[in-house]
Coordinates of all heavy atoms in Angstrom, one line a residue:
M29 N 0.8 -1.2 0.0 CA 0.0 0.0 0.0 C 0.9 1.3 0.0 O 0.6 2.2 -0.7 CB -0.9 0.0 1.2 CG -1.8 1.2 1.4 SD -3.0 1.2 0.1 CE -3.8 2.8 0.4
I30 N 1.9 1.3 0.8 CA 2.8 2.4 0.9 C 3.5 2.6 -0.5 O 3.7 3.8 -0.9 CB 3.8 2.3 2.0 CG1 3.1 2.2 3.4 CG2 4.8 3.4 2.0 CD1 2.3 3.4 3.7
D31 N 3.9 1.5 -1.1 CA 4.6 1.6 -2.4 C 3.7 2.3 -3.4 O 4.1 3.2 -4.2 CB 5.0 0.2 -2.9 CG 6.1 -0.4 -2.0 OD1 6.8 0.4 -1.4 OD2 6.2 -1.6 -2.0
N32 N 2.4 1.8 -3.5 CA 1.5 2.4 -4.5 C 1.2 3.9 -4.2 O 1.2 4.7 -5.1 CB 0.2 1.7 -4.5 CG 0.3 0.3 -5.0 OD1 1.3 0.0 -5.8 ND2 -0.5 -0.6 -4.7
L33 N 1.1 4.3 -2.9 CA 0.9 5.6 -2.5 C 2.1 6.5 -2.9 O 1.9 7.6 -3.4 CB 0.6 5.7 -1.0 CG 0.4 7.1 -0.5 CD1 -0.9 7.7 -1.1 CD2 0.3 7.1 1.0
S34 N 3.3 6.0 -2.7 CA 4.5 6.9 -3.0 C 4.6 7.0 -4.5 O 5.0 8.1 -5.0 CB 5.7 6.2 -2.4 OG 6.0 5.0 -2.9
I35 N 4.3 6.0 -5.3 CA 4.4 6.1 -6.7 C 3.4 7.0 -7.2 O 3.6 7.9 -8.1 CB 4.3 4.7 -7.4 CG1 5.6 3.9 -7.1 CG2 4.1 4.8 -8.9 CD1 5.5 2.4 -7.5
L36 N 2.1 6.9 -6.7 CA 1.1 7.8 -7.2 C 1.4 9.2 -6.8 O 1.2 10.1 -7.6 CB -0.3 7.4 -6.5 CG -1.5 8.2 -6.9 CD1 -1.8 8.1 -8.4 CD2 -2.7 7.8 -6.1
L37 N 1.9 9.5 -5.6 CA 2.2 10.8 -5.2 C 3.3 11.4 -6.0 O 3.2 12.6 -6.5 CB 2.6 10.8 -3.7 CG 2.9 12.2 -3.1 CD1 1.7 13.1 -3.1 CD2 3.5 12.1 -1.7
S38 N 4.4 10.7 -6.2 CA 5.5 11.3 -7.0 C 5.1 11.5 -8.4 O 5.4 12.6 -9.0 CB 6.7 10.3 -6.9 OG 6.4 9.1 -7.5
H39 N 4.4 10.6 -9.1 CA 4.0 10.8 -10.4 C 3.0 11.9 -10.6 O 2.9 12.6 -11.6 CB 3.5 9.5 -11.0 CG 4.6 8.5 -11.4 ND1 5.3 7.8 -10.5 CD2 5.1 8.2 -12.6 CE1 6.2 7.1 -11.1 NE2 6.1 7.3 -12.4
G40 N 2.1 12.0 -9.6 CA 1.1 13.0 -9.6 C 1.7 14.4 -9.5 O 1.3 15.3 -10.2
L41 N 2.8 14.6 -8.7 CA 3.5 15.8 -8.6 C 4.2 16.2 -9.8 O 4.3 17.3 -10.2 CB 4.4 15.8 -7.3 CG 3.7 15.8 -6.0 CD1 4.7 15.7 -4.9 CD2 2.9 17.1 -5.8
I42 N 4.8 15.2 -10.5 CA 5.5 15.4 -11.7 C 4.5 15.8 -12.8 O 4.8 16.8 -13.6 CB 6.3 14.1 -12.2 CG1 7.5 13.9 -11.2 CG2 6.8 14.3 -13.6 CD1 8.2 12.6 -11.4
A43 N 3.4 15.2 -12.9 CA 2.3 15.5 -13.8 C 1.8 16.9 -13.6 O 1.6 17.7 -14.5 CB 1.2 14.5 -13.8
L44 N 1.7 17.3 -12.3 CA 1.2 18.7 -12.0 C 2.2 19.7 -12.4 O 1.9 20.7 -13.0 CB 0.9 18.8 -10.5 CG 0.5 20.1 -10.0 CD1 -0.9 20.5 -10.6 CD2 0.5 20.2 -8.5
A45 N 3.5 19.5 -12.2 CA 4.6 20.4 -12.6 C 4.6 20.5 -14.1 O 4.8 21.6 -14.6 CB 5.9 19.9 -12.0
F46 N 4.5 19.4 -14.8 CA 4.5 19.4 -16.2 C 3.3 20.2 -16.8 O 3.5 21.0 -17.7 CB 4.5 18.0 -16.7 CG 4.6 17.8 -18.2 CD1 5.8 18.1 -18.9 CD2 3.5 17.4 -19.0 CE1 5.9 18.0 -20.3 CE2 3.6 17.3 -20.3 CZ 4.8 17.6 -21.0
W47 N 2.1 20.0 -16.2 CA 0.9 20.7 -16.6 C 1.1 22.2 -16.4 O 0.7 23.1 -17.2 CB -0.3 20.2 -15.9 CG -1.5 20.9 -16.3 CD1 -2.2 21.9 -15.6 CD2 -2.3 20.6 -17.5 NE1 -3.3 22.2 -16.3 CE2 -3.4 21.5 -17.4 CE3 -2.2 19.7 -18.5 CZ2 -4.4 21.5 -18.4 CZ3 -3.1 19.7 -19.5 CH2 -4.2 20.6 -19.5
R48 N 1.7 22.6 -15.3 CA 1.8 24.0 -14.9 C 2.9 24.7 -15.9 O 2.7 25.8 -16.3 CB 2.3 24.2 -13.5 CG 1.4 23.7 -12.4 CD 0.4 24.8 -11.9 NE 1.0 26.1 -11.8 CZ 1.2 26.7 -10.6 NH1 1.0 26.1 -9.5 NH2 1.7 27.9 -10.6
L49 N 3.9 23.9 -16.2 CA 4.9 24.5 -17.2 C 4.3 24.6 -18.6 O 4.7 25.6 -19.3 CB 6.1 23.6 -17.2 CG 7.1 23.6 -16.1 CD1 8.1 22.5 -16.2 CD2 7.7 25.0 -16.0
L50 N 3.5 23.7 -19.0 CA 2.9 23.8 -20.3 C 1.9 25.0 -20.5 O 1.7 25.5 -21.5 CB 2.3 22.5 -20.7 CG 3.2 21.4 -21.2 CD1 2.4 20.2 -21.5 CD2 4.0 21.8 -22.4
S51 N 1.3 25.4 -19.4 CA 0.3 26.4 -19.4 C 0.9 27.8 -19.3 O 0.2 28.8 -19.4 CB -0.7 26.2 -18.3 OG -0.1 26.4 -17.0
R52 N 2.2 27.9 -19.2 CA 2.8 29.3 -19.2 C 2.8 29.9 -20.6 O 3.1 29.3 -21.6 CB 4.3 29.1 -18.7 CG 4.4 28.8 -17.2 CD 5.8 28.7 -16.8 NE 6.5 29.9 -17.0 CZ 7.1 30.6 -16.1 NH1 7.1 30.2 -14.9 NH2 7.7 31.8 -16.4
D53 N 2.6 31.2 -20.6 CA 2.6 32.0 -21.9 C 4.0 32.2 -22.4 O 4.2 32.4 -23.6 CB 1.9 33.3 -21.7 CG 0.4 33.1 -21.5 OD1 -0.1 32.1 -21.9 OD2 -0.3 34.0 -20.9
D54 N 5.0 32.4 -21.5 CA 6.3 32.7 -22.0 C 7.2 31.5 -22.2 O 8.4 31.5 -22.2 CB 7.0 33.6 -20.9 CG 7.1 32.9 -19.6 OD1 6.4 31.9 -19.3 OD2 7.9 33.4 -18.8
L55 N 6.6 30.3 -22.5 CA 7.3 29.1 -22.6 C 8.2 29.2 -23.9 O 9.4 28.8 -23.8 CB 6.4 27.9 -22.8 CG 7.0 26.5 -22.9 CD1 7.7 26.2 -21.6 CD2 5.9 25.5 -23.1
D56 N 7.7 29.7 -25.0 CA 8.5 29.7 -26.2 C 9.0 31.1 -26.6 O 9.3 31.3 -27.8 CB 7.7 29.0 -27.4 CG 7.6 27.6 -27.2 OD1 8.5 26.9 -26.6 OD2 6.6 27.0 -27.6
V57 N 9.0 32.0 -25.7 CA 9.4 33.4 -26.0 C 10.8 33.6 -25.6 O 11.2 33.4 -24.5 CB 8.4 34.4 -25.4 CG1 8.9 35.8 -25.6 CG2 7.0 34.2 -25.8
E58 N 11.6 34.1 -26.5 CA 13.0 34.4 -26.2 C 13.4 35.6 -27.0 O 13.1 35.8 -28.1 CB 13.9 33.2 -26.7 CG 15.3 33.4 -26.3 CD 16.1 32.1 -26.6 OE1 15.6 31.0 -26.6 OE2 17.3 32.2 -26.9
A59 N 14.1 36.5 -26.3 CA 14.6 37.7 -26.9 C 15.7 37.4 -27.9 O 16.5 36.5 -27.7 CB 15.1 38.7 -25.8
P60 N 15.7 38.2 -29.0 CA 16.7 37.9 -30.0 C 18.1 38.3 -29.5 O 18.2 39.2 -28.7 CB 16.3 38.8 -31.2 CG 15.4 39.8 -30.6 CD 14.8 39.2 -29.4
A61 N 19.1 37.6 -30.0 CA 20.5 37.9 -29.6 C 20.9 39.3 -30.1 O 20.6 39.7 -31.2 CB 21.4 36.8 -30.1
P62 N 21.7 40.0 -29.3 CA 22.2 41.3 -29.8 C 23.2 41.1 -30.9 O 23.9 40.2 -31.0 CB 22.8 42.0 -28.6 CG 23.2 40.8 -27.7 CD 22.2 39.7 -27.9
K63 N 23.2 42.1 -31.8 CA 24.2 42.1 -32.9 C 25.6 42.4 -32.4 O 25.7 43.2 -31.5 CB 23.8 43.1 -34.0 CG 22.4 42.9 -34.6 CD 22.6 41.8 -35.6 CE 21.2 41.6 -36.4 NZ 21.2 40.6 -37.3
D64 N 26.6 41.8 -33.0 CA 27.9 42.1 -32.7 C 28.4 43.4 -33.3 O 28.1 43.6 -34.5 CB 28.9 40.9 -33.2 CG 28.7 39.7 -32.4 OD1 28.3 39.8 -31.2 OD2 29.1 38.6 -32.9
S65 N 29.0 44.2 -32.5 CA 29.5 45.5 -33.1 C 30.7 45.3 -34.0 O 31.0 46.0 -34.9 CB 29.7 46.5 -32.0 OG 30.7 46.0 -31.1
N66 N 31.5 44.3 -33.6 CA 32.7 44.0 -34.3 C 32.8 42.4 -34.6 O 33.4 41.7 -33.8 CB 34.0 44.4 -33.6 CG 35.2 44.2 -34.3 OD1 35.2 44.0 -35.5 ND2 36.4 44.3 -33.7
P67 N 32.1 42.0 -35.6 CA 32.0 40.5 -35.8 C 33.4 40.0 -36.2 O 34.1 40.5 -37.0 CB 31.0 40.4 -37.0 CG 31.0 41.7 -37.6 CD 31.3 42.7 -36.6
T68 N 33.7 38.9 -35.6 CA 34.9 38.2 -35.9 C 34.6 36.7 -36.0 O 33.6 36.2 -35.7 CB 36.0 38.4 -34.9 OG1 35.5 37.9 -33.6 CG2 36.4 39.8 -34.7
G69 N 35.6 35.9 -36.5 CA 35.4 34.5 -36.5 C 35.6 34.0 -37.9 O 35.9 34.7 -38.9
F70 N 35.5 32.7 -38.0 CA 35.8 32.0 -39.3 C 34.8 32.3 -40.4 O 35.2 32.4 -41.5 CB 35.8 30.5 -39.0 CG 36.2 29.7 -40.2 CD1 37.5 29.6 -40.7 CD2 35.2 29.0 -40.9 CE1 37.8 28.9 -41.8 CE2 35.5 28.2 -42.1 CZ 36.8 28.2 -42.5
A71 N 33.6 32.5 -40.0 CA 32.5 32.7 -41.0 C 32.3 34.2 -41.4 O 31.5 34.5 -42.2 CB 31.2 32.1 -40.6
H72 N 33.1 35.1 -40.9 CA 32.9 36.5 -41.2 C 33.4 36.7 -42.6 O 34.5 36.3 -43.0 CB 33.7 37.3 -40.2 CG 33.5 38.8 -40.3 ND1 32.3 39.4 -40.3 CD2 34.4 39.8 -40.6 CE1 32.4 40.7 -40.5 NE2 33.7 40.9 -40.6
K73 N 32.7 37.6 -43.3 CA 32.9 37.8 -44.8 C 34.3 38.5 -45.0 O 34.9 38.2 -46.0 CB 31.8 38.6 -45.4 CG 30.5 37.8 -45.5 CD 29.5 38.7 -46.2 CE 28.2 37.9 -46.3 NZ 27.1 38.8 -46.9
N74 N 34.7 39.4 -44.1 CA 35.9 40.2 -44.4 C 37.2 39.5 -44.0 O 38.2 40.1 -44.1 CB 35.7 41.6 -43.8 CG 34.6 42.4 -44.4 OD1 34.3 42.2 -45.6 ND2 34.0 43.3 -43.7
N75 N 37.1 38.4 -43.4 CA 38.3 37.7 -43.0 C 39.0 37.2 -44.2 O 38.4 36.6 -45.1 CB 38.0 36.5 -42.1 CG 37.7 36.9 -40.6 OD1 38.0 38.0 -40.3 ND2 37.2 36.0 -39.8
K76 N 40.3 37.5 -44.3 CA 41.1 37.0 -45.4 C 41.8 35.8 -45.0 O 42.7 35.8 -44.1 CB 42.1 38.1 -45.8 CG 41.4 39.4 -46.2 CD 40.7 39.3 -47.5 CE 40.2 40.7 -47.9 NZ 39.2 40.7 -48.8
I77 N 41.4 34.7 -45.5 CA 42.1 33.4 -45.2 C 43.2 33.2 -46.2 O 42.9 33.1 -47.4 CB 41.1 32.2 -45.2 CG1 40.0 32.5 -44.2 CG2 41.9 30.9 -44.9 CD1 39.0 31.4 -44.2
P78 N 44.5 33.2 -45.8 CA 45.6 33.1 -46.8 C 45.5 31.7 -47.4 O 45.3 30.7 -46.8 CB 46.8 33.3 -46.0 CG 46.4 33.0 -44.6 CD 45.0 33.3 -44.4
A79 N 45.8 31.7 -48.7 CA 45.8 30.5 -49.5 C 47.2 29.8 -49.2 O 48.2 30.5 -49.0 CB 45.7 30.7 -51.0
H80 N 47.2 28.5 -49.2 CA 48.5 27.8 -48.9 C 49.3 27.9 -50.2 O 48.9 27.7 -51.3 CB 48.2 26.3 -48.6 CG 47.5 26.2 -47.3 ND1 48.1 26.4 -46.1 CD2 46.2 25.9 -47.0 CE1 47.3 26.1 -45.1 NE2 46.1 25.8 -45.6
K81 N 50.6 28.2 -50.0 CA 51.5 28.3 -51.1 C 51.9 26.9 -51.6 O 52.3 26.1 -50.7 CB 52.7 29.1 -50.8 CG 52.4 30.6 -50.5 CD 53.7 31.3 -50.2 CE 53.4 32.8 -49.9 NZ 54.6 33.5 -49.5
V82 N 51.8 26.7 -52.8 CA 52.2 25.4 -53.4 C 53.6 25.6 -53.9 O 53.9 26.4 -54.8 CB 51.3 24.9 -54.5 CG1 51.8 23.6 -55.0 CG2 49.9 24.8 -53.9
T83 N 54.5 24.8 -53.3 CA 55.9 24.9 -53.8 C 56.2 23.7 -54.7 O 55.9 22.6 -54.3 CB 56.9 25.0 -52.6 OG1 56.7 23.9 -51.8 CG2 56.7 26.3 -51.8
E84 N 56.9 24.0 -55.8 CA 57.3 22.8 -56.6 C 58.7 22.4 -56.3 O 59.6 23.3 -56.1 CB 57.2 23.3 -58.1 CG 55.8 23.6 -58.5 CD 55.8 24.0 -60.0 OE1 56.7 23.6 -60.7 OE2 54.8 24.7 -60.4
E85 N 58.9 21.2 -56.1 CA 60.2 20.7 -55.8 C 60.9 19.9 -56.9 O 60.3 19.4 -57.8 CB 60.1 19.7 -54.6 CG 59.6 20.4 -53.3 CD 59.5 19.5 -52.2 OE1 60.1 18.4 -52.2 OE2 58.8 19.8 -51.2

């Protein structure tokens, strides 16, 4: 009897928390990321990637 009660109570509380989280209005709302003032990195258009020199031997 205690085993069934503890399983029912724990699963009931998990279901209640899940239901409360799903009913929130701000669940899928996220502010956009701010723009970089000085973008850098591999995918930046102005980065000059030097070509490898091919030497003939």
